[in-house]
Amino acid sequence: MKFRAGRYISRVLLGITILGSISIASHAEESDSVASAIQSCPQQFHSLPLFPDAKMCQVFGQTVPATLTYHAPTDQQSTQQFYTQQLGEAESVKTTHGRIQLEYENANKIIMISKDGAGTQIDVLVKS
């Protein structure tokens, strides 16, 4: 009887080990796909400029509607000034929950500027 119980426990432990290995492998694959989404930053995204020294760019959709998210080593006000200098005054400027939202071309191009550590996260949405 002890032999059979030991064999059963060994099978259960083997099953748990296999399931744990599968779970770890699937998380590694998910991490790889997220990492591959991060790419070098272009100078423009659908004719909208990116702040100099942009880092950690992630593109969500090459065709419109499309979004690009990146990090810039500057504060929110400097980022807003950069976009105002490059694109002119925004048609709409809103500040919500500490984020600055700039809207251009009848809200078809939206730039969201959020504080992110020592810099800012910039989300660029192009609707059309």
Side-chain angles (χ1 to χ4, degrees):
M1 193 71 166
K2 287 182 184 178
F3 180 73
R4 287 185 181 174
R7 186 185 248 174
Y8 175 76
I9 291 171
S10 295
R11 286 182 181 169
V12 169
L13 291 175
L14 177 63
I16 291 170
T17 302
I18 290 170
L19 287 175
S21 297
I22 291 169
S23 177
I24 290 169
S26 69
H27 286 299
E29 288 172 11
E30 288 173 13
S31 296
D32 288 345
S33 66
V34 169
S36 66
I38 297 174
Q39 47 196 254
S40 62
C41 298
Q43 291 183 351
Q44 291 189 354
F45 181 69
H46 294 277
S47 76
L48 292 172
L50 272 64
F51 196 88
D53 298 324
K55 306 241 184 287
M56 299 186 296
C57 288
Q58 294 182 335
V59 177
F60 302 97
Q62 294 292 336
T63 59
V64 291
T67 303
L68 171 89
T69 297
Y70 71 96
H71 183 269
T74 184
D75 59 55
Q76 287 178 290
Q77 289 69 33
S78 297
T79 305
Q80 181 179 2
Q81 288 173 352
F82 168 78
Y83 278 104
T84 301
Q85 288 172 349
Q86 295 293 313
L87 303 172
E89 290 295 323
E91 295 165 1
S92 173
V93 178
K94 301 174 188 171
T95 303
T96 308
H97 303 291
R99 297 180 184 103
I100 301 168
Q101 180 176 320
L102 309 174
E103 295 182 358
Y104 292 92
E105 298 180 20
N106 296 320
N108 283 311
K109 294 183 179 180
I110 299 172
I111 299 165
M112 184 71 71
I113 306 165
S114 308
K115 183 166 178 39
D116 184 21
T120 54
Q121 175 180 316
I122 297 95
D123 301 299
V124 180
L125 170 64
V126 180
K127 295 180 185 177
S128 64

